[in-house]
Amino acid sequence: MVRGGKGWKVNRHGPDLRTRLWQVQEGRCFYCHELMHKGNSKAGRYWLATSGAPNRPTLEHIIPRSEGGDTSSDNLVLACASCNSHRRSFALLPSEYERARRIIELAKSIH
């Protein structure tokens, strides 16, 4: 990950943000709270879950990109592929937004 103006920019080759979010969220989807499948970590790759698996972890934009949200650590949580695809560009409820902010702050505090 690369440090940007608002947070860490996501580097597709580094699992640091995903690892921190995984730890804080205890491997559970932000929306349905079901345990997600991380895949295997052979060959140095951390997120090799089957591409079509509905419970694979995906990075979810809190503020959708279509609404001006960026792809930085300040705007991402983990959600299963199924929930991520169903949410589309719908806004979060205020309670979800606050929970997302707490997750992000906790993830940033992990060293």
Side-chain angles (χ1 to χ4, degrees):
M1 299 217 312
V2 179
R3 183 77 173 133
K6 288 183 141 182
W8 295 291
K9 295 291 182 185
V10 176
N11 178 342
R12 291 186 180 270
H13 303 291
D16 190 45
L17 173 63
R18 288 178 179 92
T19 301
R20 291 173 182 209
L21 290 171
W22 183 270
Q23 290 173 345
V24 172
Q25 292 180 227
E26 298 177 339
R28 298 195 176 274
C29 172
F30 179 77
Y31 298 108
C32 69
H33 309 287
E34 292 293 323
L35 193 59
M36 296 180 287
H37 176 69
K38 188 166 49 173
N40 70 43
S41 60
K42 292 182 180 178
R45 295 195 175 235
Y46 196 71
W47 302 91
L48 286 178
T50 306
S51 61
N55 67 337
R56 77 182 189 283
T58 61
L59 286 172
E60 166 70 345
H61 292 84
I62 299 165
I63 300 170
R65 291 177 66 200
S66 62
E67 300 292 324
D70 62 358
T71 304
S72 73
S73 62
D74 292 332
N75 193 40
L76 296 168
V77 293
L78 291 177
C80 68
S82 180
C83 286
N84 195 345
S85 67
H86 285 100
R87 179 181 172 226
R88 297 190 185 123
S89 293
F90 297 112
L92 293 180
L93 298 172
S95 61
E96 291 175 321
Y97 184 79
E98 289 304 316
R99 188 164 54 93
R101 290 286 162 224
R102 284 193 305 273
I103 288 170
I104 289 167
E105 290 306 315
L106 284 171
K108 284 182 173 182
S109 70
I110 297 173
H111 297 287

